Amino acid sequence: MHCSYRSSRPYWKATARMRSREAGRFRYIGGNVKSRFTLDMSAALEARKSLLDAKKMGWPEFRRVWIALLQQTVQAYGACGRARQKPLTESEAAERVDRAYAGFADHRAAADAWRMRFRVSRQKALEGPPPQKRRRGPRRSPEEVEETRAARAALRARRCAERAARLLDRERRRLIRASLAVETAIHEAAREEEARARAALMQRRRSDLLRKRERWRWMRDPSRTTEELLHGPPL
């Protein structure tokens, strides 16, 4: 069953789903079969029941019932859109049904081929010889067993040594990166300290130069008083 709410009231249509994966039950169509839209749910259920009953009798009976359903006049009061379509004539309904049946021919052919392959493979499996148990090889001597154990132990030891070497190499690279980071930090700190010392030295030289200029101006100033002369030049 299918229900739609495109109008003010829900309208129904009977749907017999006949997809390719259900070809065993619907091998004569292979697709979806739909009746006309209706607002009467009981009419949709009756249409679905008639389709399912006709399916059991084969394609000719199913085709006749489907064509008859497409010609029925359904209750469409208060519906809109596709729910208000006029019933099909017998020729139009037959054309639509035959076109749908022909359109799903590839699906039916693929389903039939799959069923045939499945039946053939199943028949071959039933007619073939029974599966034999797996045979074990000859028993090995104690010397061969010991050699195998020694080889496996040597392989495990070699793998452990290789893993230890990889871990040591990884730790060595980590220590190298850490030492490089420390050296870089030390160099950065030294450069910053050198820059600060250079800035302080330049500031001190600038201050000394300003003081010398002020003293030179004071010594060449003719407007100096006796008190200023006794006090001395500015420091």
Side-chain angles (χ1 to χ4, degrees):
M1 295 295 296
H2 173 77
C3 177
S4 177
Y5 290 89
R6 295 184 180 178
S7 61
S8 58
R9 298 174 61 187
Y11 53 90
W12 302 82
K13 61 180 178 180
T15 302
R17 296 193 176 276
M18 302 178 183
R19 302 179 185 274
S20 58
R21 67 168 178 266
E22 300 176 349
R25 293 179 294 167
F26 304 98
R27 64 185 61 180
Y28 49 83
I29 180 63
N32 290 341
V33 176
K34 301 177 183 179
S35 68
R36 291 184 44 78
F37 288 90
T38 178
L39 294 174
D40 189 2
M41 184 177 179
S42 60
L45 291 173
E46 184 64 26
R48 181 177 184 274
K49 182 178 182 301
S50 61
L51 287 173
L52 294 177
D53 292 340
K55 173 184 70 70
K56 302 175 183 178
M57 303 175 64
W59 167 246
E61 180 65 19
F62 191 89
R63 180 179 181 274
R64 186 189 64 79
V65 173
W66 191 4
I67 292 175
L69 288 176
L70 293 178
Q71 299 179 71
Q72 289 181 356
T73 301
V74 297
Q75 179 186 356
Y77 178 76
C80 63
R82 291 182 296 177
R84 298 186 62 85
Q85 293 178 354
K86 296 181 179 180
L88 300 179
T89 62
E90 184 177 358
S91 59
E92 292 174 346
E95 181 183 358
R96 177 178 294 185
V97 170
D98 294 338
R99 185 170 62 250
Y101 183 78
F104 288 103
D106 296 339
H107 295 268
R108 294 193 300 275
D112 293 338
W114 180 86
R115 284 194 302 275
M116 182 59 66
R117 291 195 301 268
F118 177 77
R119 290 173 182 173
V120 171
S121 61
R122 185 177 180 85
Q123 189 67 22
K124 288 183 179 180
L126 293 176
E127 294 178 356
Q132 298 180 358
K133 296 183 178 180
R134 184 179 177 183
R135 297 181 179 179
R136 296 183 178 180
R139 298 182 63 86
R140 296 180 298 175
S141 62
E143 292 78 8
E144 293 177 348
V145 173
E146 290 297 331
E147 291 179 0
T148 303
R149 290 179 179 176
R152 291 178 179 177
L155 180 61
R156 287 194 297 269
R158 186 181 64 187
R159 289 179 178 176
C160 291
E162 292 176 354
R163 183 180 179 185
R166 288 195 300 269
L167 293 176
L168 290 176
D169 185 65
R170 186 183 306 172
E171 185 68 17
R172 180 180 60 82
R173 290 197 300 268
R174 188 187 67 81
L175 292 177
I176 291 175
R177 288 195 298 268
S179 62
L180 289 177
V182 171
E183 292 179 0
T184 303
I186 292 175
H187 292 165
E188 290 292 336
R191 282 197 294 270
E192 292 178 0
E193 185 66 25
E194 184 179 358
R196 286 196 295 268
R198 189 181 301 109
L201 179 60
M202 294 298 295
Q203 184 66 24
R204 188 165 56 253
R205 289 181 178 178
R206 192 178 296 110
S207 300
D208 293 343
L209 180 60
L210 291 177
R211 285 197 298 270
K212 289 180 180 180
R213 288 180 180 178
E214 289 295 331
R215 187 171 184 177
W216 182 81
R217 291 194 189 96
W218 181 84
M219 293 180 65
R220 294 180 62 85
D221 187 9
S223 62
R224 293 174 294 175
T225 61
T226 304
E227 184 178 0
E228 291 176 348
L229 291 173
L230 291 176
H231 187 271
L235 301 178

